[in-house]
Amino acid sequence: MSDASSGHSRRKFINTLTQGVLATSIAPDILMAAGNHPDLQLLKRPDQYGANDQVQIALIGAGGMGNADADTCITVPGVKIIAVCDLYDGRLEAAKKKFGNDIFITKEFKEILSRKDIDAVIVATPDHWHKDISIEAMNSGKAVYCEKPMVHDITEGSAVIEAQNKNKSIFQVGSQGMSSLGNEKAKQLYESGAIGQLNYAEGFWARNSPGGAWQYDIPADASTKTVDWKKFLKNYPDMAFDPKRFFRWRCYKDYGTGVSGDLFVHLFSSLHYIVSSTGPEKIVATGGLRYWKDGREVPDILLGMFDYPLTDKHPAFNLSLRVNFVDGTAENTYLRLVGNEGSMIVEWDKVTLTKNKSYPASANDPSVAKDKPDPFSYDRKKMLDPDAIVFKAEQGYKGAHFDHHYNWIRAVRGGKPVVEDALFGYRAAAPALLCNDSYFHERSMRWDPVKLEVVNKK
Ligand SMILES: NC(=O)c1ccc[n+]([C@@H]2O[C@H](COP(=O)([O-])OP(=O)(O)OC[C@H]3O[C@@H](n4cnc5c(N)ncnc54)[C@H](O)[C@@H]3O)[C@@H](O)[C@H]2O)c1
């Protein structure tokens, strides 16, 4: 879009136009594709968009996840990547090859934010840059998709929430599982009482490959000629260029948030969404650096325990989360919720509900509800209820990542608001960040998830 309107008014125009069209036409072929995901009915066919009816996106941080986000986002009809910001030349060159020679590229994110033709930005930088770029983007009238964890330090969350509220921004954190069919089904089952009274939950994340343990390749041309090293460092201690710190930033406390900020945060997002929780009030973590002794500052095994208080949405329960980056057997991830009547394992495209054996057989089983025993009958065995019921996404399901980007773009166009906004995102990030505080300071942490305050600062 090349006119002179601001990001705000451009979005307003898109919203008005979209709402008008939605009221009059819903393309039947999209309805078919929507399957059992009714919100997808809001989509217009790509060919129904005019030249201006396009959400124009910039990607800030064009590494592994930034590219995955951009690739997914442009599969939502009417979305175009028009600019890319990164601190490494190689990634800017790759972006031109992928998104077209005409895209705007820069190493300075402020040059992205000052452009009037950009409606929304994806922030997929290392964690230590999330807060500042997101806030500046919202203050510049942009909608923001900020990768998880929303912030790098427990002290940073409130400022992001304030910026979102002050600017009335569309801000979504990138824990894509949140928007999945699996999470939606689990929430529905949980709310219908399928597992009875929740008392315990657990999550596990195992990895067994070097890439999975953050040993990413370092490009041969990495140097201060190709990398804006000073910018990367932000306000953290100045030092000579270290390609490991730049390309394997997750291993260092100044830029990353350890395994809990990388992985626990997904499990918190899903759990909080399913049971409508604001978060735990007590956090204890232990673990160790057992294998990847490559100079990293954070553990490769982390065990976290969390006490969730009674609220009007859920009973008090305990959560146990584990990450093992040294699992020589298989990669594995799960989130399991346990109640007195059953349990469920939640995946993004599948939910497995298991009922306790002692749970009464269903009321519509005719063998259960006989008034008087038949004196001529023998001890005939019954048909049992299934041990486990598996709910699977329909074939062709585009997946959690598409759903999450779709939800964000729909909100940008004036549709249903996002669920994983700054408040939700902070509440999911906080216990993950406090795990690190607990691990490094060797003490339990107390958190008030309603007031958003660390209760025992010392
Ligand atoms: N949602 C998910 O499943 C998921 C998966 C992986 C990563 N992530 C998140 O995505 C983010 C990026 O992770 P990654 O694996 O893509 O890292 P990466 O190292 O592959 O990419 C980060 C990119 O950001 C660039 N960068 C650094 N500082 C910048 C700045 N100030 N301005 C512009 N660009 C900057 C770097 O040059 C690099 O290309 C992290 O916050 C991570 O937690 C999310």
Side-chain angles (χ1 to χ4, degrees), residues 59-333:
L59 171 61
I60 304 178
M65 197 59 200
N67 271 287
D69 281 330
D71 290 348
T72 300
C73 199
I74 55 174
T75 65
V76 179
V79 172
K80 192 172 182 202
I81 301 288
I82 66 160
V84 172
C85 170
D86 199 275
L87 299 186
Y88 167 53
D89 284 341
R91 297 221 156 116
L92 292 173
E93 286 152 20
K96 280 215 164 217
K97 276 198 194 119
K98 187 198 273 190
F99 300 114
N101 243 333
D102 56 337
I103 64 162
F104 172 74
I105 55 167
T106 176
K107 284 189 177 150
E108 175 49 66
F109 71 87
K110 288 175 199 282
E111 287 183 11
I112 296 274
L113 302 184
S114 62
R115 285 181 71 111
K116 302 274 186 273
D117 56 354
I118 292 171
D119 302 305
V121 295
I122 295 171
V123 180
T125 61
D127 307 342
H128 68 307
W129 267 107
H130 287 183
K131 176 192 119 225
D132 283 15
I133 299 179
S134 293
I135 290 176
E136 283 203 45
M138 288 190 274
N139 289 343
S140 310
K142 312 298 182 200
V144 176
Y145 183 105
C146 174
E147 264 308 335
K148 45 57 40 181
M150 184 178 96
V151 287
H152 177 242
D153 188 87
I154 192 71
T155 56
E156 296 178 336
S158 300
V160 181
I161 298 172
E162 269 167 38
Q164 172 196 265
N165 295 347
K166 179 184 79 181
N167 294 297
K168 298 190 175 25
S169 304
I170 309 296
F171 177 87
Q172 179 176 272
V173 180
S175 298
Q176 62 272 30
M178 280 277 311
S179 295
S180 67
L181 283 175
N183 273 217
E184 273 175 31
K185 187 73 203 172
K187 185 176 179 66
Q188 193 190 5
L189 288 169
Y190 173 75
E191 288 178 354
S192 69
I195 61 166
Q197 185 181 316
L198 176 71
N199 52 56
Y200 170 74
E202 61 182 352
F204 183 48
W205 215 299
R207 296 240 167 118
N208 74 348
S209 72
W214 308 338
Q215 295 254 3
Y216 304 122
D217 292 342
I218 295 177
D221 70 348
S223 75
T224 46
K225 287 207 174 71
T226 56
V227 167
D228 189 339
W229 171 242
K230 295 284 175 216
K231 182 87 174 179
F232 169 81
L233 288 176
K234 203 171 167 237
N235 49 347
Y236 292 96
D238 197 6
M239 61 182 80
F241 179 59
D242 180 347
K244 276 195 184 172
R245 284 183 169 258
F246 186 80
F247 289 99
R248 298 177 182 173
W249 55 267
R250 280 177 171 82
C251 300
Y252 304 92
K253 290 198 268 184
D254 284 348
Y255 330 118
T257 48
V259 293
S260 57
D262 201 29
L263 301 174
F264 282 1
V265 75
H266 281 293
L267 301 169
F268 285 120
S269 305
S270 291
L271 177 69
H272 292 185
Y273 171 74
I274 294 165
V275 306
S276 304
S277 182
T278 52
E281 60 183 11
K282 182 177 171 193
I283 293 116
V284 182
T286 186
L289 184 55
R290 307 297 176 203
Y291 184 83
W292 292 107
K293 299 191 180 181
D294 51 8
R296 73 182 58 197
E297 299 169 346
V298 290
D300 51 15
I301 292 188
L302 193 68
L303 315 174
M305 286 179 291
F306 311 87
D307 292 2
Y308 280 73
L310 167 74
T311 71
D312 58 349
K313 303 284 185 200
H314 59 71
F317 67 95
N318 289 87
L319 168 71
S320 151
L321 296 181
R322 293 170 292 146
V323 164
N324 183 357
F325 270 11
V326 203
D327 190 318
T329 52
E331 308 240 329
N332 188 8
T333 309

